[in-house]
């Protein structure tokens, strides 16, 4: 995802957690890459409930 968006893995992490320290243009690149790959970030609640972070299969 980071490679597709042309950003670091840390930036992808910041976008997926909703951090505000990401420029809007960069956020848009990451969100577009996520959409292209069919990725949807999990919420803390879902992770704590044991939901998988990626679809399996």
């Amino acid at each position: 995802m980071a490679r597709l968006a042309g950003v670091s893995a840390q930036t992808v992490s910041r976008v997926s957690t909703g951090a505000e320290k990401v420029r809007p243009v960069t956020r848009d690149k990451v969100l577009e890459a996520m959409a292209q790959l069919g990725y949807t970030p999990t919420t803390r609640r879902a992770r704590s409930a044991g939901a998988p972070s990626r679809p399996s299969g």
Side-chain angles (χ1 to χ4, degrees):
M1 210 171 324
R3 189 175 305 157
L4 181 61
V7 300
S8 70
Q10 182 62 42
T11 299
V12 172
S13 178
R14 286 184 181 123
V15 170
S16 69
T17 60
E20 294 182 20
K21 289 186 169 186
V22 181
R23 294 183 322 176
V25 172
T26 303
R27 183 179 311 277
D28 290 345
K29 285 185 199 178
V30 173
L31 292 175
E32 178 62 30
M34 287 178 172
Q36 286 181 23
L37 296 173
Y39 177 81
T40 53
T42 57
T43 62
R44 279 189 197 152
R45 176 177 278 164
R47 282 189 296 239
S48 66
S53 59
R54 296 186 196 149
S56 57

